[in-house]
Amino acid sequence: MTKKGQVLFLLYLFLSISLMTVQSIKGPVQPLFFIRYPLNYINEAVTSLVYYIKKPFIVAMSLERHNEELKKEVETLLLKKQEYEEKSIENERLRELLSLKQELPEYVATAKVVSKNPDIWAQTMEINKGYKDGIKKDMAVRTVLGLIGKIKKSDAHYSTVLLLTDVSSSVAVKSHDNRTEAILSGVGEDYCILRHGLDMEEVAAGDTMITSGLDSLYPPGIPVGKVLSAEKNPSMLEQDIKVGLFANPLKIDEVMVITRRRDM
């Protein structure tokens, strides 16, 4: 045996004796035991790295879900706020009508508007009270602000109101400012015009028109509207006078039906 071989043999013998000594003391040697800790460390590092990479996305998704929930809560609160405001406005209108009712011996009924027909040739609205509530044809219909028309027809529980803006509508009025009398007629627009009056040249923009009671239909003294313009028409003896109604029929939700005292 060469010298190199002897050295290798002695090294092998030393390692063998050392291994047998370790095994006799600590039991059999497990080769993977020495790499278990590095592998665990690597596994924990990879797990932590994946968590930190995923964390912003998880947080973003959580925030998005939370934002959606908040949006739904805000929408619900806004709807409740709108409902509350609408109820509050409606209650205020009804209180005003109730207050007016105490002042009107001609009062018949208070009704809600259930539909509107703003067609240029037939401007009407439907209300939820009829002849079973004491409503009859030709009774006047008004709001707190002023006159809007008369009952065209009445069924048991519903009635049709012919609005002042309808082309077939007319009412005797007079100026609250200078007592000039005239006929207010509808033209199918959101305003009316004055016709066939005496001293029409005295009517001016800003004058307030009220019912005169001379048509034996509408009670006298009901506010109707304000003169928007009064211009001389070269082809006619009368002025072209436009009147804007105090009570816009398209913005009305409740009305009051009244009658002349002789009909009560």
Coordinates of all heavy atoms in Angstrom, one line a residue, residues 11-76:
L11 N -7.9 8.1 7.2 CA -8.9 9.1 7.2 C -10.3 8.5 7.3 O -11.2 8.9 8.0 CB -8.8 10.1 6.0 CG -9.8 11.2 5.9 CD1 -9.7 12.1 7.1 CD2 -9.6 12.0 4.7
Y12 N -10.5 7.5 6.4 CA -11.8 6.7 6.4 C -12.1 6.1 7.7 O -13.2 6.1 8.2 CB -11.7 5.7 5.2 CG -12.9 4.8 5.2 CD1 -14.1 5.2 4.7 CD2 -12.8 3.5 5.7 CE1 -15.2 4.4 4.7 CE2 -13.9 2.6 5.7 CZ -15.1 3.1 5.2 OH -16.2 2.2 5.2
L13 N -11.0 5.5 8.3 CA -11.1 4.8 9.6 C -11.5 5.8 10.7 O -12.4 5.6 11.5 CB -9.8 4.1 10.0 CG -9.9 3.3 11.3 CD1 -10.9 2.2 11.2 CD2 -8.5 2.7 11.5
F14 N -10.9 7.0 10.6 CA -11.2 8.1 11.6 C -12.7 8.5 11.5 O -13.4 8.7 12.5 CB -10.3 9.2 11.4 CG -10.6 10.4 12.3 CD1 -10.3 10.4 13.6 CD2 -11.2 11.5 11.7 CE1 -10.6 11.5 14.4 CE2 -11.5 12.6 12.6 CZ -11.2 12.6 13.9
L15 N -13.1 8.7 10.2 CA -14.5 9.2 10.0 C -15.5 8.1 10.4 O -16.5 8.4 11.0 CB -14.7 9.6 8.5 CG -14.0 10.8 8.1 CD1 -14.2 11.0 6.6 CD2 -14.5 12.0 8.8
S16 N -15.1 6.9 10.2 CA -16.1 5.8 10.5 C -16.2 5.7 12.0 O -17.3 5.5 12.6 CB -15.5 4.5 10.0 OG -15.5 4.5 8.6
I17 N -15.0 5.8 12.7 CA -15.1 5.7 14.2 C -15.9 6.9 14.8 O -16.7 6.8 15.7 CB -13.6 5.7 14.7 CG1 -13.0 4.4 14.3 CG2 -13.6 5.8 16.3 CD1 -11.5 4.3 14.6
S18 N -15.6 8.1 14.2 CA -16.3 9.3 14.6 C -17.8 9.2 14.4 O -18.6 9.5 15.3 CB -15.8 10.5 13.9 OG -14.4 10.7 14.1
L19 N -18.2 8.6 13.3 CA -19.7 8.5 13.0 C -20.3 7.5 13.9 O -21.4 7.7 14.4 CB -19.8 8.0 11.5 CG -21.3 7.9 11.0 CD1 -22.1 9.2 11.2 CD2 -21.3 7.4 9.6
M20 N -19.6 6.4 14.2 CA -20.1 5.4 15.1 C -20.2 5.9 16.5 O -21.2 5.6 17.3 CB -19.2 4.1 15.1 CG -19.4 3.3 13.8 SD -18.5 1.7 13.9 CE -16.8 2.3 13.8
T21 N -19.3 6.8 16.9 CA -19.3 7.4 18.2 C -20.5 8.3 18.3 O -21.3 8.3 19.3 CB -18.0 8.2 18.4 OG1 -16.9 7.3 18.3 CG2 -18.1 8.8 19.8
V22 N -20.8 9.1 17.3 CA -21.9 10.0 17.3 C -23.2 9.3 17.3 O -24.2 9.6 18.1 CB -21.9 11.0 16.1 CG1 -23.2 11.8 15.9 CG2 -20.7 11.9 16.2
Q23 N -23.3 8.2 16.5 CA -24.5 7.4 16.5 C -24.8 6.7 17.8 O -25.9 6.5 18.2 CB -24.4 6.3 15.4 CG -24.5 6.9 14.0 CD -24.4 5.8 12.9 OE1 -23.9 4.8 13.1 NE2 -24.9 6.2 11.7
S24 N -23.7 6.3 18.5 CA -23.8 5.6 19.8 C -24.3 6.6 20.8 O -25.0 6.2 21.8 CB -22.5 5.0 20.2 OG -21.5 6.0 20.5
I25 N -24.0 7.9 20.6 CA -24.4 8.9 21.6 C -25.8 9.5 21.3 O -26.7 9.6 22.1 CB -23.4 10.0 21.7 CG1 -22.1 9.4 22.2 CG2 -23.9 11.1 22.6 CD1 -20.9 10.4 22.2
K26 N -26.0 9.9 20.0 CA -27.3 10.6 19.6 C -28.2 9.9 18.7 O -29.2 10.4 18.2 CB -26.9 11.9 18.9 CG -26.1 12.9 19.8 CD -25.9 14.2 19.1 CE -25.2 15.2 20.1 NZ -25.1 16.6 19.4
G27 N -27.9 8.6 18.4 CA -28.7 7.8 17.6 C -28.3 7.9 16.2 O -27.3 8.6 15.8
P28 N -29.0 7.3 15.2 CA -28.7 7.3 13.8 C -28.6 8.7 13.2 O -29.5 9.5 13.6 CB -29.8 6.4 13.2 CG -30.4 5.6 14.3 CD -30.2 6.5 15.5
V29 N -27.7 8.9 12.4 CA -27.5 10.2 11.7 C -28.5 10.3 10.5 O -28.6 9.4 9.7 CB -26.1 10.4 11.3 CG1 -26.0 11.7 10.5 CG2 -25.1 10.4 12.4
Q30 N -29.3 11.4 10.5 CA -30.2 11.7 9.4 C -29.6 12.7 8.4 O -29.4 13.9 8.8 CB -31.6 12.2 9.9 CG -32.2 11.2 10.8 CD -33.5 11.7 11.4 OE1 -33.9 12.8 11.0 NE2 -34.2 11.0 12.3
P31 N -29.3 12.3 7.2 CA -28.6 13.3 6.3 C -29.4 14.6 6.1 O -28.8 15.6 5.9 CB -28.5 12.5 5.0 CG -28.6 11.0 5.4 CD -29.5 11.0 6.6
L32 N -30.7 14.5 6.0 CA -31.5 15.7 5.7 C -31.7 16.6 6.9 O -32.1 17.8 6.8 CB -32.9 15.3 5.3 CG -33.0 14.6 3.9 CD1 -34.4 14.2 3.6 CD2 -32.4 15.4 2.8
F33 N -31.2 16.1 8.1 CA -31.3 16.9 9.3 C -30.6 18.2 9.2 O -31.0 19.3 9.7 CB -30.8 16.1 10.5 CG -30.8 16.9 11.8 CD1 -31.9 17.0 12.6 CD2 -29.6 17.5 12.3 CE1 -31.9 17.7 13.7 CE2 -29.6 18.2 13.5 CZ -30.8 18.3 14.2
F34 N -29.4 18.2 8.5 CA -28.6 19.4 8.4 C -29.1 20.4 7.5 O -28.7 21.6 7.5 CB -27.1 18.9 8.1 CG -26.5 18.0 9.1 CD1 -26.5 16.7 8.9 CD2 -26.0 18.6 10.3 CE1 -25.9 15.8 9.8 CE2 -25.4 17.7 11.2 CZ -25.4 16.3 11.0
I35 N -30.0 20.0 6.5 CA -30.5 21.0 5.6 C -32.0 21.4 5.9 O -32.6 22.2 5.2 CB -30.4 20.4 4.1 CG1 -31.3 19.2 4.0 CG2 -29.0 20.1 3.7 CD1 -31.5 18.7 2.6
R36 N -32.5 20.8 7.0 CA -33.9 21.1 7.4 C -34.1 22.6 7.7 O -35.0 23.3 7.3 CB -34.4 20.3 8.5 CG -35.8 20.5 8.9 CD -36.2 19.6 10.1 NE -35.4 19.9 11.3 CZ -35.5 19.2 12.4 NH1 -36.3 18.1 12.4 NH2 -34.7 19.5 13.4
Y37 N -33.2 23.1 8.5 CA -33.3 24.5 8.9 C -33.1 25.5 7.8 O -33.9 26.4 7.6 CB -32.3 24.8 10.0 CG -32.6 24.2 11.3 CD1 -31.9 23.1 11.8 CD2 -33.7 24.6 12.1 CE1 -32.2 22.4 13.0 CE2 -34.1 24.0 13.3 CZ -33.3 22.9 13.7 OH -33.7 22.3 14.9
P38 N -32.2 25.3 6.9 CA -32.1 26.2 5.7 C -33.4 26.2 4.9 O -33.9 27.2 4.4 CB -30.9 25.7 4.9 CG -30.1 25.1 6.0 CD -31.0 24.4 6.9
L39 N -34.0 25.0 4.7 CA -35.2 24.8 3.9 C -36.4 25.5 4.6 O -37.2 26.2 3.9 CB -35.5 23.3 3.7 CG -34.6 22.6 2.7 CD1 -35.0 21.1 2.6 CD2 -34.7 23.2 1.3
N40 N -36.5 25.3 5.9 CA -37.5 26.0 6.7 C -37.4 27.5 6.6 O -38.4 28.3 6.4 CB -37.5 25.6 8.1 CG -38.0 24.2 8.4 OD1 -38.7 23.7 7.5 ND2 -37.7 23.6 9.5
Y41 N -36.2 28.0 6.7 CA -35.9 29.4 6.5 C -36.3 30.0 5.2 O -37.0 31.0 5.1 CB -34.4 29.7 6.8 CG -34.1 31.2 6.6 CD1 -34.4 32.1 7.7 CD2 -33.5 31.6 5.5 CE1 -34.1 33.4 7.5 CE2 -33.1 33.0 5.3 CZ -33.4 33.9 6.4 OH -33.1 35.2 6.2
I42 N -35.9 29.2 4.1 CA -36.3 29.6 2.8 C -37.8 29.6 2.6 O -38.4 30.5 2.0 CB -35.6 28.7 1.7 CG1 -34.1 28.9 1.8 CG2 -36.2 28.9 0.3 CD1 -33.4 27.9 0.9
N43 N -38.5 28.6 3.2 CA -40.0 28.5 3.0 C -40.7 29.6 3.7 O -41.6 30.2 3.2 CB -40.4 27.1 3.7 CG -42.0 27.0 3.6 OD1 -42.5 27.0 2.5 ND2 -42.6 26.9 4.7
E44 N -40.2 30.0 5.0 CA -40.8 31.1 5.7 C -40.5 32.4 4.9 O -41.4 33.3 4.9 CB -40.1 31.2 7.1 CG -40.6 30.1 8.0 CD -39.9 30.2 9.3 OE1 -39.1 31.1 9.5 OE2 -40.2 29.3 10.2
A45 N -39.3 32.5 4.3 CA -39.0 33.8 3.6 C -39.9 33.9 2.4 O -40.4 35.0 2.1 CB -37.6 33.7 3.1
V46 N -40.1 32.8 1.6 CA -41.0 32.8 0.4 C -42.4 33.1 0.8 O -43.1 33.9 0.2 CB -40.9 31.5 -0.3 CG1 -42.0 31.4 -1.4 CG2 -39.5 31.3 -0.9
T47 N -42.9 32.5 2.0 CA -44.3 32.7 2.4 C -44.5 34.2 2.8 O -45.5 34.8 2.5 CB -44.6 31.8 3.7 OG1 -44.4 30.5 3.3 CG2 -46.0 32.1 4.2
S48 N -43.5 34.8 3.5 CA -43.6 36.2 3.9 C -43.6 37.1 2.7 O -44.3 38.1 2.6 CB -42.4 36.5 4.8 OG -42.4 35.8 6.0
L49 N -42.7 36.7 1.7 CA -42.7 37.5 0.5 C -44.0 37.5 -0.3 O -44.5 38.6 -0.7 CB -41.5 37.0 -0.4 CG -41.3 37.7 -1.7 CD1 -40.9 39.2 -1.5 CD2 -40.3 37.0 -2.6
V50 N -44.6 36.3 -0.4 CA -45.9 36.2 -1.1 C -47.0 37.0 -0.3 O -47.8 37.7 -0.9 CB -46.3 34.7 -1.2 CG1 -47.8 34.6 -1.7 CG2 -45.4 34.0 -2.1
Y51 N -46.9 37.0 1.0 CA -47.9 37.7 1.8 C -47.8 39.2 1.6 O -48.8 39.9 1.4 CB -47.7 37.4 3.3 CG -48.5 38.2 4.2 CD1 -49.9 38.0 4.4 CD2 -48.0 39.3 4.9 CE1 -50.7 38.8 5.2 CE2 -48.7 40.1 5.7 CZ -50.1 39.9 5.9 OH -50.8 40.7 6.7
Y52 N -46.6 39.7 1.6 CA -46.4 41.1 1.4 C -46.7 41.6 0.0 O -47.1 42.7 -0.2 CB -44.9 41.5 1.8 CG -44.7 41.6 3.3 CD1 -43.9 40.6 3.9 CD2 -45.3 42.5 4.1 CE1 -43.6 40.7 5.3 CE2 -45.1 42.6 5.4 CZ -44.3 41.6 6.0 OH -44.1 41.7 7.4
I53 N -46.5 40.7 -1.0 CA -46.9 41.0 -2.3 C -48.5 41.1 -2.5 O -49.0 41.9 -3.1 CB -46.3 40.0 -3.3 CG1 -44.8 40.1 -3.4 CG2 -46.9 40.2 -4.7 CD1 -44.1 39.1 -4.2
K54 N -49.1 40.1 -1.8 CA -50.6 40.0 -1.9 C -51.3 41.0 -1.0 O -52.5 41.4 -1.3 CB -51.1 38.6 -1.5 CG -50.7 37.5 -2.5 CD -51.0 36.1 -1.9 CE -52.4 35.9 -1.6 NZ -52.7 34.6 -1.1
K55 N -50.6 41.5 0.0 CA -51.3 42.3 1.0 C -51.9 43.6 0.4 O -53.1 43.9 0.7 CB -50.3 42.7 2.1 CG -51.0 43.5 3.3 CD -50.0 43.8 4.4 CE -50.6 44.6 5.5 NZ -49.7 44.9 6.6
P56 N -51.2 44.4 -0.4 CA -51.9 45.6 -1.0 C -53.1 45.2 -1.8 O -54.1 46.0 -1.8 CB -50.8 46.1 -1.9 CG -49.5 45.6 -1.4 CD -49.8 44.2 -0.9
F57 N -53.1 44.1 -2.5 CA -54.3 43.7 -3.3 C -55.4 43.4 -2.4 O -56.6 43.7 -2.7 CB -53.9 42.6 -4.3 CG -52.9 42.9 -5.3 CD1 -51.6 42.6 -5.1 CD2 -53.2 43.6 -6.4 CE1 -50.6 42.9 -6.0 CE2 -52.3 44.0 -7.4 CZ -51.0 43.6 -7.2
I58 N -55.1 42.6 -1.3 CA -56.2 42.2 -0.4 C -56.8 43.5 0.3 O -58.0 43.6 0.4 CB -55.6 41.3 0.7 CG1 -55.1 40.0 0.1 CG2 -56.6 41.1 1.8 CD1 -54.4 39.1 1.0
V59 N -55.9 44.4 0.7 CA -56.4 45.7 1.3 C -57.2 46.5 0.3 O -58.3 47.0 0.6 CB -55.2 46.5 1.8 CG1 -55.6 47.9 2.2 CG2 -54.5 45.8 2.9
A60 N -56.8 46.5 -1.0 CA -57.5 47.3 -2.0 C -58.9 46.7 -2.2 O -59.9 47.4 -2.4 CB -56.7 47.3 -3.3
M61 N -59.0 45.3 -2.3 CA -60.2 44.7 -2.5 C -61.2 44.9 -1.3 O -62.4 45.1 -1.5 CB -60.0 43.2 -2.7 CG -59.3 42.8 -4.0 SD -59.0 41.1 -4.2 CE -60.7 40.4 -4.2
S62 N -60.6 44.9 -0.1 CA -61.4 45.1 1.1 C -61.9 46.6 1.1 O -63.1 46.8 1.4 CB -60.5 44.9 2.3 OG -61.2 45.2 3.5
L63 N -61.0 47.5 0.7 CA -61.5 48.9 0.7 C -62.6 49.1 -0.4 O -63.5 49.9 -0.2 CB -60.3 49.8 0.4 CG -59.3 50.0 1.5 CD1 -58.1 50.8 1.0 CD2 -59.9 50.7 2.7
E64 N -62.4 48.4 -1.5 CA -63.4 48.6 -2.6 C -64.8 48.0 -2.1 O -65.8 48.7 -2.3 CB -63.0 47.8 -3.8 CG -63.9 47.9 -5.0 CD -63.4 47.2 -6.2 OE1 -62.3 46.7 -6.2 OE2 -64.1 47.2 -7.3
R65 N -64.8 46.9 -1.4 CA -66.0 46.3 -0.9 C -66.6 47.3 0.2 O -67.8 47.6 0.2 CB -65.8 45.0 -0.2 CG -65.6 43.8 -1.2 CD -65.7 42.5 -0.6 NE -64.7 42.3 0.5 CZ -63.5 41.7 0.3 NH1 -63.2 41.3 -0.9 NH2 -62.7 41.6 1.3
H66 N -65.7 47.9 1.0 CA -66.2 48.8 2.0 C -66.8 50.1 1.4 O -67.8 50.6 1.8 CB -65.0 49.2 2.9 CG -65.4 50.1 4.1 ND1 -66.3 49.7 5.0 CD2 -65.0 51.3 4.4 CE1 -66.5 50.6 5.9 NE2 -65.7 51.6 5.6
N67 N -66.1 50.6 0.3 CA -66.6 51.7 -0.4 C -68.0 51.5 -1.1 O -68.9 52.3 -1.0 CB -65.6 52.2 -1.5 CG -64.4 52.8 -0.9 OD1 -64.4 53.3 0.2 ND2 -63.3 52.8 -1.7
E68 N -68.2 50.3 -1.6 CA -69.5 49.9 -2.2 C -70.6 49.9 -1.1 O -71.7 50.4 -1.4 CB -69.4 48.5 -2.9 CG -68.6 48.5 -4.2 CD -69.2 49.4 -5.2 OE1 -70.4 49.5 -5.3 OE2 -68.4 50.0 -6.0
E69 N -70.2 49.3 0.0 CA -71.2 49.3 1.1 C -71.5 50.7 1.6 O -72.7 51.1 1.8 CB -70.6 48.5 2.3 CG -70.5 47.0 2.0 CD -69.8 46.3 3.1 OE1 -69.3 47.0 4.1 OE2 -69.6 45.1 3.0
L70 N -70.5 51.6 1.6 CA -70.7 53.0 2.0 C -71.6 53.7 1.0 O -72.5 54.5 1.4 CB -69.4 53.7 2.2 CG -68.6 53.4 3.5 CD1 -67.3 54.1 3.5 CD2 -69.4 53.7 4.7
K71 N -71.3 53.5 -0.3 CA -72.2 54.1 -1.4 C -73.6 53.7 -1.2 O -74.5 54.5 -1.4 CB -71.6 53.7 -2.7 CG -70.3 54.3 -3.1 CD -69.9 53.9 -4.5 CE -68.5 54.5 -4.9 NZ -68.1 54.0 -6.2
K72 N -73.9 52.4 -0.9 CA -75.2 51.9 -0.8 C -75.9 52.6 0.4 O -77.1 53.0 0.4 CB -75.3 50.4 -0.6 CG -74.9 49.7 -1.9 CD -74.9 48.2 -1.7 CE -74.5 47.4 -3.0 NZ -74.6 46.0 -2.8
E73 N -75.1 52.7 1.5 CA -75.7 53.4 2.7 C -76.0 54.9 2.4 O -77.0 55.4 2.8 CB -74.7 53.3 3.8 CG -74.5 51.9 4.4 CD -73.5 51.8 5.5 OE1 -73.1 52.9 6.0 OE2 -73.2 50.7 6.0
V74 N -75.1 55.5 1.7 CA -75.3 56.9 1.3 C -76.5 57.1 0.4 O -77.4 58.0 0.6 CB -74.1 57.5 0.6 CG1 -74.4 58.9 0.0 CG2 -72.9 57.7 1.6
E75 N -76.7 56.2 -0.6 CA -77.9 56.3 -1.4 C -79.1 56.0 -0.7 O -80.1 56.7 -0.9 CB -77.7 55.2 -2.5 CG -76.6 55.5 -3.6 CD -76.4 54.4 -4.6 OE1 -77.1 53.3 -4.4 OE2 -75.6 54.5 -5.5
T76 N -79.1 55.1 0.3 CA -80.3 54.8 1.1 C -80.6 56.1 1.9 O -81.8 56.5 2.1 CB -80.1 53.6 2.0 OG1 -79.8 52.5 1.2 CG2 -81.3 53.3 2.9

